[in-house]
Amino acid sequence: METSPQRDSLLNRARSRSSTRLKLISQDNIFRKRDYIVGIALLLVVVVLWTSSNFITQDMFDAGYEKPFLVTYLNTSAFAFYLIPVIIRLTWKRRARQGFSIREGYQELPQDSSIHHDTPHLSGPDVPLTMRETARLASWFCLLWFIANWTVNASLNYTSVASATILSSMSGFFTLGIGRVFRVEQLTGTKFIAVLISFIGVLLVSLSDSSSTSTEPALVDASTMHPLFGDFLALISAVFYALYVILLKVQIKAESRIDMQLFFGFVGLFNILACWPIGVFLHVIGAETLELPSTGKVVAALLINMFITWSSDFLYVLAMLKTTPLVVTIGLSLTIPFAVLGDFALGNLVQLQVILGALLVFIGFVVVGTDHSNVDQGPPLEESIEVVSS
């Protein structure tokens, strides 16, 4: 039998460990909430940048330079510039290591990526992705991202802009469903209502655009005979958008596990190497001829769009890792109310139905953004305590 002093000693040590665990758990919750707020702020910056890009692209198309594939190809290829600082950093480290080895006979100790004494998180060791793993993830991301954007652009050749917008906005429902399957989203009534409100808002805006253009004469061609195929492509775009945003969340989990510059650099490199034959094919069949911009205004628009994509998509992935896939999916619909504000600033007439739709989109984002389950989606408490106690 244990004596009374032994029992008191064990009890005190147990209380001390419990107190330490509670402090660490509280600290972890504080960091999660802080990261979540930062993620929301980054998402709002992305929305502003993407809305600005939409106005620039629309102005460029109105000027007669309608090259959607070329614009997409150049924008994505801009990610390859992220490889420049990565190459410089790796070269500098290699030379510095060689210098130490020559002067001091120094050999660097093997790095144990599972040791993070200063990290406040309780999710266990955040093992960084290797360069090969990062390249593999970038290749999948590039493929899914390209399919999602290509199908929505292609759908516009077969169906109306309103139908394409409505069906592509279904990505919120797919993100919620697929995210629940992979356990990166919690299916709650609040989230479902938020997605529904946002979808109704997009629906109102799209129907308003459809009614405003229905009175204009339209050219009748073969593409108008395949609206179901166009709707199918728009729906495929929504599915693949949900897939690639969920893929990133599942594979990366936390931003500390990945070198974001290396990741996006690989995405740009793979896009350059793999997608150029598509542009040649489109030129051969006459769907989109390769043509250099004829004015300095178009060149400036292309360069600005490249910079916006280069910076905004980087911030977008960071925002997704700090929040949830559903939050950024619904958040991207904020381009609608921001576009309405842009139309007001430019003096364009905005219908009441559009204003109501934009308001609903904003309400949907506020509802999903303030859902506490988004912040509490870390590892289970028991799992975290086991990690700390070990």
Side-chain angles (χ1 to χ4, degrees):
M1 294 180 60
E2 295 180 347
T3 63
S4 179
Q6 287 176 329
R7 287 198 303 270
D8 291 342
S9 177
L10 291 174
L11 183 59
N12 289 334
R13 284 196 295 181
R15 288 174 176 173
S16 177
R17 285 199 301 267
S18 298
S19 177
T20 302
R21 292 171 187 169
L22 290 175
K23 289 180 181 179
L24 289 174
I25 293 170
S26 176
Q27 187 179 14
D28 179 71
N29 290 334
I30 292 175
F31 275 93
R32 284 183 186 171
K33 291 179 180 179
R34 186 191 65 180
D35 279 352
Y36 187 79
I37 294 174
V38 172
I40 293 294
L42 291 176
L43 180 59
L44 293 177
V45 173
V46 171
V47 170
V48 172
L49 290 174
W50 283 13
T51 305
S52 302
S53 177
N54 289 339
F55 278 105
I56 294 173
T57 303
Q58 184 181 32
D59 184 64
M60 181 173 58
F61 287 173
D62 290 341
Y65 195 75
E66 300 182 14
K67 309 291 181 182
F69 174 82
L70 179 62
V71 171
T72 304
Y73 181 79
L74 291 177
N75 290 347
T76 311
S77 299
F79 292 143
F81 286 108
Y82 280 116
L83 288 177
I84 296 177
V86 171
I87 295 174
I88 294 175
R89 185 170 67 247
L90 292 177
T91 303
W92 182 85
K93 286 183 178 180
R94 184 176 301 172
R95 290 182 177 179
R97 190 181 301 114
Q98 292 174 349
F100 277 119
S101 299
I102 295 174
R103 292 195 302 269
E104 306 289 341
Y106 168 80
Q107 290 185 343
E108 185 178 3
L109 294 175
Q111 296 292 326
D112 186 357
S113 59
S114 65
I115 300 177
H116 295 277
H117 297 291
D118 57 344
T119 178
H121 294 283
L122 305 178
S123 57
D126 293 332
V127 181
L129 298 179
T130 64
M131 183 175 293
R132 178 175 298 181
E133 291 171 337
T134 302
R136 186 183 301 114
L137 179 61
S139 64
W140 279 107
F141 174 83
C142 185
L143 174 64
L144 297 177
W145 188 92
F146 181 83
I147 293 176
N149 286 270
W150 179 260
T151 49
V152 72
N153 290 331
S155 69
L156 298 176
N157 291 326
Y158 300 96
T159 188
S160 65
V161 175
S163 296
T165 304
I166 293 170
L167 291 172
S168 61
S169 67
M170 291 286 291
S171 58
F173 293 102
F174 290 119
T175 301
L176 186 58
I178 299 174
R180 179 65 184 89
V181 173
F182 287 95
R183 299 183 178 181
V184 295
E185 289 287 354
Q186 295 182 17
L187 183 58
T188 64
T190 301
K191 288 183 177 180
F192 182 80
I193 292 174
V195 173
L196 186 61
I197 292 175
S198 178
F199 177 74
I200 293 174
V202 175
L203 184 67
L204 289 176
V205 174
S206 300
L207 291 179
S208 175
D209 291 340
S210 178
S211 63
S212 64
T213 58
S214 61
T215 57
E216 299 178 2
L219 296 178
V220 179
D221 55 26
S223 65
T224 59
M225 296 188 297
H226 305 284
L228 291 180
F229 181 65
D231 294 343
F232 173 75
L233 290 176
L235 202 59
I236 289 295
S237 173
V239 173
F240 274 87
Y241 174 85
L243 284 175
Y244 83 66
V245 74
I246 295 295
L247 169 72
L248 292 181
K249 189 67 173 182
V250 171
Q251 294 295 324
I252 300 177
K253 296 181 178 67
E255 61 180 293
S256 59
R257 297 189 64 238
I258 191 170
D259 185 336
M260 295 297 294
Q261 289 185 335
L262 182 64
F263 171 74
F264 274 104
F266 277 135
V267 171
L269 180 62
F270 293 151
N271 178 81
I272 293 173
L273 297 177
C275 294
W276 66 267
I278 300 175
V280 175
F281 175 74
L282 293 176
H283 175 75
V284 171
I285 66 175
E288 181 177 324
T289 57
L290 297 176
E291 180 183 0
L292 294 176
S294 57
T295 64
K297 182 179 179 180
V298 173
V299 173
L302 289 173
L303 293 176
I304 293 174
N305 263 336
M306 289 176 65
F307 174 77
I308 289 177
T309 302
W310 177 79
S311 57
S312 63
D313 281 46
F314 186 95
L315 298 178
Y316 163 76
V317 174
L318 281 180
M320 186 272 297
L321 294 175
K322 290 178 180 294
T323 57
T324 72
L326 182 62
V327 169
V328 295
T329 301
I330 300 299
L332 292 182
S333 298
L334 288 178
T335 53
I336 292 177
F338 273 89
V340 171
L341 292 177
D343 284 331
F344 273 124
L346 295 175
N348 298 330
L349 180 63
V350 181
Q351 298 181 12
L352 180 61
Q353 184 174 335
V354 174
I355 297 176
L356 178 59
L359 182 61
L360 288 177
V361 169
F362 180 76
I363 292 174
F365 174 73
V366 171
V367 171
V368 76
T370 54
D371 189 354
H372 294 292
S373 65
N374 293 324
V375 185
D376 300 332
Q377 289 187 142
L381 186 59
E382 293 81 9
E383 178 183 337
S384 302
I385 292 177
E386 289 178 4
V387 172
V388 175
S389 60
S390 61

